Amino acid sequence: MIRALLFDVDGTLAETERDGHLVAFNRAFADLGVPWRWSAARYGELLKVTGGRERLLFDMQAQREAPAGAAARAALAARLHGLKNEHYARIVEAGGLALRPGVGELIEDCAANHVAVAVVTTTSRSNVEALLGRHFGPQWRARFAALVCAADAPRKKPDPEAYHVALRQLRLGAPDCLAIEDSPAGLAAARAAGIGVIVTRSHYFPDTCGPGTLAVGDALGEPAAWDPPAAPGAARIDLAQLARWHSAINAPVASACHG
Ligand code: XBP
Ligand code: MG
């Protein structure tokens, strides 16, 4: 039985990286007269580094125009990151980031079946507040039994810290929970906490797969081509389908991802 569903944010609830954070980072560079911009392809490489500030600092190692000293780089990264998050909030507010197909319906399933919903992310809390407030209205917080963001778990995914904090907030054990993730780092973090994972592939992470993946597919709202397959005739991946996959956690059905 699933007692809680733990959602990653970026790439899982919405395509926030391509359509939100990347656009917002480039606007922040322009704001401060920073002479470089990130292409969509370069941003894909940079996503190996979790955390927007960490990503900026990593990239500065390759930018000839970056300030020389560590303190100056840290200060610039902090200013850019703050501005980036302001731009991100504006993009969300303008309706630029829809929930991915099937996400809203699955959260409704959870409410109807008394299954707790949690958010487990390495993104800043302000980004989560903007996104969830836009989609679930002013009372959005009441829908989530736990909310773990960057400041709650400084060791970012693939470290399992964010998932450990979520289990403590939920007062549940890993076997009662199921995580939904898109990235290899997110999959690794949940697995290291002992939690089974459903992978919804995203724009930047089209190949995520590995031991502990109970099922992988393109989107919760697209029931075709899941591995293992969803029940015939399903209109979407619903809570009952997740429960069937979750019940196979100790004896996974043969699939490309099960190791
Ligand atoms: C996403 C991240 C974040 C975002 C940007 O992780 O690594 O850094 O890219 O957000 P997850 P911040 O998929 O686990 O949410 O700039 O706030 O870090
Ligand atoms: Mg993600």
Side-chain angles (χ1 to χ4, degrees), residues 88-151:
Y88 177 90
R90 277 183 216 117
I91 291 167
V92 169
E93 201 39 56
L97 289 175
L99 292 180
R100 292 190 63 192
V103 165
E105 292 89 335
L106 188 54
I107 290 174
E108 292 300 337
D109 286 353
C110 289
N113 291 279
H114 309 289
V115 169
V117 181
V119 158
V120 185
T121 177
T122 50
T123 201
S124 313
R125 183 167 290 257
S126 66
N127 299 335
V128 178
E129 289 170 347
L131 187 71
L132 297 180
R134 179 71 170 71
H135 291 292
F136 295 105
Q139 306 302 319
W140 68 269
R141 185 63 185 84
R143 286 175 172 264
F144 297 88
L147 191 65
V148 181
C149 304

Side-chain angles (χ1 to χ4, degrees), residues 8-12 16-17 21 25 43 47 49-55 81 84-85 88 120-128 150 156-157 181-183 185-186 205:
D8 166 52
V9 174
D10 294 301
T12 299
T16 54
E17 297 293 7
H21 292 296
F25 274 117
Y43 193 63
L47 282 175
V49 182
T50 42
R53 223 170 33 80
E54 291 84 346
R55 194 168 297 142
H81 191 236
K84 185 276 287 181
N85 282 351
Y88 177 90
V120 185
T121 177
T122 50
T123 201
S124 313
R125 183 167 290 257
S126 66
N127 299 335
V128 178
K156 299 199 165 159
K157 301 174 185 178
E181 280 280 359
D182 69 311
S183 68
F205 298 109

